[in-house]
Amino acid sequence: MDVDKDGSPSPIEFRLDPGSGVPTYLQLVQQVEQALRLGYLRQGDQLPRVKDVVAGLAINPNTVLKAYRELEHRGLVAGRRGLGTFVEGTLDRVGLREQAALQKSMLAWMRTAGEAGLDEAGMSALFTAALHELRQSREGRPDEEGGSGRAGVVA
């Protein structure tokens, strides 16, 4: 676990998925955003120091700095000279009770999907396609094939 300047643990510990195809700096950005949405990070929390992230993940310091700059650009964090980078913004989040209920139903869906023969990559692809279809319907654009086939595939 990462430790803040004062010795207290940082509420977030970064992990990388080298096979995801997502640039490393963007993985860090996404993890901070996810932690904000889930309530693991709150305003005032300190992100891990750049040198700690570099040591823990064996990545270039410029990669971490790029991620922190992107988060700053999005209004989510701010650097304080000599102190570190702190959470200043928030993202919409669902209450803990609602999150627990949603997670329980999602786990049930995942078990059903696994029993149907889908692996993690298949579940992810199906979820992404459904999310794309939902986005299309919210924007008032009907899918070309009525919500099936290639309509949900993002190229």
Side-chain angles (χ1 to χ4, degrees):
M1 175 168 281
D2 292 314
V3 176
D4 287 344
K5 190 171 189 132
D6 66 359
S8 62
S10 177
I12 187 170
E13 185 173 335
F14 295 116
R15 290 184 170 39
L16 296 179
D17 179 2
S20 73
V22 176
T24 301
Y25 88 94
L26 203 49
Q27 288 186 49
L28 301 179
V29 169
Q30 291 170 348
Q31 288 175 50
V32 169
E33 288 179 337
Q34 183 179 24
L36 284 166
R37 282 191 179 91
L38 295 174
Y40 299 138
L41 280 176
R42 294 187 167 80
Q43 285 184 324
D45 285 342
Q46 184 175 7
L47 295 184
R49 294 176 299 177
V50 172
K51 72 176 191 172
D52 294 335
V53 177
V54 168
L57 299 177
I59 59 176
N60 189 305
N62 290 329
T63 302
V64 182
L65 291 169
K66 183 175 183 178
Y68 284 13
R69 278 193 306 272
E70 178 62 28
L71 289 162
E72 205 165 335
H73 176 72
R74 294 180 187 195
L76 298 175
V77 303
R80 299 181 193 160
R81 192 179 266 319
L83 296 176
T85 304
F86 293 82
V87 175
E88 289 201 344
T90 60
L91 292 172
D92 292 336
R93 61 178 264 226
V94 176
L96 292 177
R97 190 173 308 148
E98 291 86 356
Q99 281 183 36
L102 290 168
Q103 184 173 7
K104 184 176 180 180
S105 62
M106 186 171 281
L107 283 170
W109 177 85
M110 292 167 82
R111 284 187 193 98
T112 303
E115 291 166 3
L118 285 177
D119 61 5
E120 285 185 28
M123 289 180 211
S124 179
L126 188 57
F127 180 82
T128 301
L131 190 58
H132 176 73
E133 189 174 324
L134 176 64
R135 193 176 303 124
Q136 294 290 345
S137 68
R138 284 183 177 168
E139 294 172 358
R141 292 185 282 171
D143 286 337
E144 299 138 15
E145 298 180 26
S148 64
R150 285 184 40 90
V153 178
V154 180

